Amino acid sequence: MEYEAVIGLETHVQLKTRTKMWCGCPNEFGAPPNTHVCPVCLGMPGILPVANEEAVRLAVLAGLLLNCEIPGRAKFDRKNYFYPDMPKNYQISQYDMPFAVNGWVEFEFEGRVRRVRLTRAHLEEDVGKSFHFEDRSGVDFNRAGVPLLEIVSEPDIESADMAFAYLNALKDILSQGGVSDCDMEKGMVRCDVNVSVRPAGSSELGEKIEIKNMNSFSGVRRALKYEIARQIRVLREGGKLTQSTRRWNEELGATEEMRTKEHAHDYRYFPDPDLQPFEPSPEWLEAIRARLVELPLRRKQRLAAQYGLPDQDARALADDPALAEYFERLARKASRPKAAANWILNNLRALMAEENERRKRAHSAAGLDEGQWTPMSLEELKFEPEAILELIELTDKGVISSRIAQEVFAEMFRSGGSPKAIVESKGLAQVSDASQIERLCEQAIAENPGPAADYRKGKKAALNFLKGQVMRLSRGKANPALVGEILEKKLR
Ligand code: ADP
Ligand code: ZN
Ligand code: MG
């Protein structure tokens, strides 16, 4: 029998706020252990949480970016549990009235636009982090109380690769939308993976297995590939699957059973008596709507349609909002937007990447921390974006050849000079003066009697060789079309 996978993801994303969810401690990664703490986030008796309004705004903003409905009333609940890294022993979360419900994420996968529906997105608090040493354990509470958005998908995902694409799309939307930095290295995105298998084409759901606490997207993909194959193998061998929780063991490359699943009601949720229910006003919502940005997929589709860009160019630009903005500034004035896209995506990106390599090397040569160097930004470019238009025009008009244009661009990048000034000062303008080119053609023919004879005998390819010689003699400046014409005439 053929089986198919059914996958639903619960993705936790740390929100980009200055302070924590219920107190004024900094929401900041990397401080020495237990330096960003206070009685509130340490869960001391008698403390009172005060909701961070920006966190609530970001939760709602995320909901809007993810096409969710924003219910007229939301509340916070206590989720009771034994949390070794959370001394309150309850987590403030949202049980039945979250900030956002019924949304979806759209993304391209295997050449099609796919949609994964979202059940809900609710706001909760992150917990501290346990460390286990040889003879003792410790807890760092810096992370405790950091605002965390949990985004729950419907079981609409069909494969490990599709889960990977979904997570990347979600990350792009939330980071471009200003909701979270989504820095994986800093653990800002974590994911619980739910997966079952069923006979292909069936509409019933199989027994769900949950893989907890994945912190890399490629890990999610590997764990799913393993787990789907394992479940199918169990069923094919006549075994039975029961709902349970497993963990991904990266060293073994396998999932291992942790426990059979506790039920939701075990958490004894109840409304947090310290926090008021929340009813967003139309004005408050309007102010959040004003923060909405264009989503990557939409931007890609628009760039392709509006400027006639090929799919691949539109996607490359859409993935980098700053670069896309830079492109559009040019494209609006360009007669050939595609040419502007080429300069940006090929030459500009290559030179910036080179510069970044240089910076990285200089940084480590100076013995500085690896991750700490700053990549080059578009604001640092020494030339005005319009200079690219000037360069395109010079090429289109035949003032310079496209090979020379590369040289001019590199010089613009280095010195910030305008293309016209560079062409003039370096004498790079294309030579279209027939008498000058004639002299060079005669020289090339005289220096290469063999190929000249070959051409006269009918070996057409020899012309290209001679053409190359003339270009070399002109240091790349001769007008290639004219060179071809004149050579042919002289060899006839
Ligand atoms: P729980 O009550 O155990 O948290 P939920 O019904 O709330 O379970 O679902 C949690 C996540 O698991 C959601 O992302 C959902 O899409 C996914 N899910 C639910 N049932 C299945 C299933 N049979 N197979 C795969 N994923 C599932
Ligand atoms: Zn605090
Ligand atoms: Mg659930």
Side-chain angles (χ1 to χ4, degrees):
M1 195 190 309
E2 282 306 307
Y3 289 92
E4 65 185 18
V6 174
I7 301 160
L9 299 179
E10 297 163 283
T11 313
H12 295 86
V13 182
Q14 286 186 349
L15 298 182
K16 190 178 178 169
T17 55
R18 209 169 43 75
T19 56
K20 291 190 187 179
M21 189 62 227
W22 317 113
C23 61
C25 292
N27 170 10
E28 197 182 272
F29 180 87
N34 297 308
T35 52
H36 290 343
V37 292
C38 74
V40 174
C41 53
L42 287 172
M44 299 290 180
I47 49 91
L48 278 175
V50 177
N52 180 336
E53 191 183 350
E54 178 62 3
V56 177
R57 284 192 211 105
L58 290 177
V60 170
L61 177 60
L64 294 174
L65 288 165
L66 299 173
N67 308 292
C68 292
E69 295 159 27
I70 308 301
R73 190 177 166 89
K75 69 175 169 64
F76 288 108
D77 302 277
R78 289 187 183 179
K79 181 179 182 182
N80 298 281
Y81 193 65
F82 173 69
Y83 295 97
D85 36 21
M86 174 94 119
K88 295 200 297 263
N89 274 339
Y90 61 82
Q91 179 192 34
I92 305 179
S93 181
Q94 298 189 289
Y95 180 50
D96 53 350
M97 297 176 77
F99 283 118
V101 297
N102 298 333
W104 74 82
V105 180
E106 270 182 349
F107 53 99
E108 287 187 323
F109 177 64
E110 293 179 344
R112 284 200 288 149
V113 173
R114 304 300 305 269
R115 177 181 288 200
V116 169
R117 291 167 301 153
L118 302 178
T119 319
R120 56 189 276 158
H122 63 258
L123 186 53
E124 56 189 33
E125 56 182 324
D126 211 341
V127 297
K129 215 168 164 177
S130 300
F131 293 90
H132 304 289
F133 308 102
E134 213 168 299
D135 55 348
R136 72 210 144 88
S137 290
V139 189
D140 174 9
F141 287 107
N142 285 348
R143 199 179 69 180
V146 164
L148 202 60
L149 189 71
E150 175 169 343
I151 297 152
V152 182
S153 88
E154 291 287 306
D156 287 351
I157 301 167
E158 296 161 9
S159 67
D161 290 330
M162 186 173 167
F164 186 76
Y166 161 83
L167 286 169
N168 278 301
L170 186 63
K171 175 183 166 207
D172 288 346
I173 293 169
L174 296 177
S175 60
Q176 291 191 17
V179 170
S180 169
D181 285 333
C182 292
D183 190 335
M184 308 296 296
E185 312 273 285
K186 297 179 179 167
M188 290 182 185
V189 186
R190 277 120 52 201
C191 190
D192 296 337
V193 177
N194 302 273
V195 52
S196 60
V197 297
R198 65 184 175 193
S202 151
S203 58
E204 268 161 55
L205 288 173
E207 285 293 322
K208 164 184 96 167
I209 306 283
E210 181 169 13
I211 310 166
K212 280 267 182 212
N213 236 330
M214 304 290 308
N215 54 19
S216 88
F217 295 170
S218 51
V220 168
R221 181 161 62 180
R222 278 194 297 276
L224 274 169
K225 287 205 161 133
Y226 174 87
E227 180 60 20
I228 291 166
R230 185 191 72 85
Q231 291 185 16
I232 293 175
R233 197 168 54 241
V234 169
L235 294 182
R236 287 224 169 106
E237 287 169 0
K240 230 174 99 41
L241 294 161
T242 48
Q243 190 169 326
S244 56
T245 303
R246 298 177 76 86
R247 116 166 38 85
W248 171 243
N249 184 326
E250 183 70 58
E251 286 78 53
L252 291 182
T255 60
E256 316 170 311
E257 176 141 322
M258 279 167 76
R259 56 172 187 262
T260 53
K261 172 87 183 163
E262 66 277 76
H263 293 283
H265 61 249
D266 284 348
Y267 292 121
R268 299 272 192 274
Y269 280 100
F270 67 85
D272 193 302
D274 293 338
L275 292 157
Q276 291 285 317
F278 183 74
E279 295 181 354
S281 71
E283 301 76 46
W284 188 88
L285 278 174
E286 220 23 68
I288 292 171
R289 247 183 221 110
R291 290 165 71 169
L292 282 172
V293 298
E294 188 176 34
L295 298 183
L297 176 62
R298 186 59 29 86
R299 183 184 303 121
K300 191 214 104 176
Q301 292 165 335
R302 185 179 60 75
L303 290 176
Q306 195 170 334
Y307 301 107
L309 295 182
D311 215 55
Q312 200 184 334
D313 288 5
R315 181 168 323 117
L317 288 167
D319 283 347
D320 184 338
L323 205 63
E325 199 188 309
Y326 189 87
F327 164 74
E328 288 207 79
R329 176 165 166 192
L330 286 185
R332 278 191 286 269
K333 301 178 205 158
S335 51
R336 288 190 305 127
K338 169 72 181 132
N342 284 347
W343 280 108
I344 291 171
L345 289 172
N346 302 329
N347 303 66
L348 182 59
R349 274 208 307 196
L351 290 178
M352 287 179 80
E354 243 173 60
E355 168 63 18
N356 284 337
E357 274 310 310
R358 206 165 15 248
R359 287 186 186 189
K360 221 189 297 186
R361 273 198 308 273
H363 199 82
S364 64
L368 295 167
D369 204 355
E370 224 178 80
Q372 298 287 309
W373 63 281
T374 322
M376 182 177 189
S377 74
L378 292 165
E379 281 89 64
E380 291 175 66
L381 289 176
K382 295 199 182 111
F383 59 86
E384 290 301 313
E386 284 70 18
I388 293 181
L389 295 181
E390 198 179 304
L391 186 62
I392 293 172
E393 202 188 302
L394 290 176
T395 321
D396 283 354
K397 284 193 177 149
V399 177
I400 52 175
S401 66
S402 56
R403 202 183 65 74
I404 293 288
Q406 309 280 328
E407 224 174 278
V408 174
F409 186 81
E411 181 57 25
M412 274 160 61
F413 186 84
R414 207 183 56 73
S415 68
S418 89
K420 275 186 193 138
I422 294 169
V423 168
E424 212 157 290
S425 72
K426 298 201 156 191
L428 293 172
Q430 186 156 271
V431 175
S432 296
D433 168 12
S435 64
Q436 219 174 325
I437 293 181
E438 258 176 55
R439 266 200 313 281
L440 296 174
C441 289
E442 279 159 15
Q443 187 184 345
I445 292 169
E447 285 173 0
N448 300 281
D454 286 348
Y455 178 78
R456 290 195 177 103
K457 274 185 239 147
K459 204 173 145 202
K460 296 284 173 221
L463 189 71
N464 281 334
F465 173 80
L466 292 168
K467 229 168 140 180
Q469 295 308 304
V470 177
M471 292 309 290
R472 190 178 55 81
L473 291 171
S474 76
R475 283 195 217 89
K477 291 189 295 187
N479 180 329
L482 210 50
V483 171
E485 245 171 68
I486 292 176
L487 269 177
E488 268 184 79
K489 208 160 39 185
K490 296 218 168 276
L491 288 166
R492 221 176 275 142

